[in-house]
Amino acid sequence: MVKRFIAGAVCPRCGEMDKIVSYADEEQRQVRECVACGFFERLREADGPAELQTRVTRPKQAEAQVQTIKFYPRPKKEQ
């Protein structure tokens, strides 16, 4: 079992930074644990995480129809 520290992670219980390790347990569930206070949390089930919808992962929308617009120069006013 390989445990890896998560850079910049803050423990939700004790507030210490860079004390959280992440690893997969015997049942292949992702776990995070604080080495300072012993905080322990399973992050996902064996079937995988439910991915949050973000700007990058949301389904593509139908593209809008493109219309060209022509600009004509204003006629010069004669004085």
Side-chain angles (χ1 to χ4, degrees):
M1 173 181 344
V2 177
K3 294 184 178 184
R4 297 188 174 154
F5 280 93
I6 303 172
V10 177
C11 176
R13 183 184 295 162
C14 67
E16 291 286 324
M17 183 181 274
D18 295 335
K19 302 290 183 186
I20 300 286
V21 292
S22 178
Y23 59 92
D25 64 2
E26 303 85 25
E27 299 164 2
Q28 296 303 314
R29 287 185 276 190
Q30 194 66 28
V31 175
R32 69 177 180 171
E33 182 178 357
C34 179
V35 296
C37 71
F39 172 77
F40 178 84
E41 180 180 36
R42 286 196 174 104
L43 295 177
R44 61 182 166 122
E45 296 300 320
D47 60 347
E51 189 170 18
L52 295 175
Q53 187 176 16
T54 64
R55 176 182 55 85
V56 177
T57 61
R58 70 176 166 229
K60 291 187 178 182
Q61 298 173 349
E63 292 187 27
Q65 293 181 353
V66 178
Q67 297 178 348
T68 57
I69 300 174
K70 293 183 181 179
F71 291 96
Y72 296 101
R74 287 186 178 171
K76 293 184 180 179
K77 290 184 181 180
E78 293 185 31
Q79 295 182 8

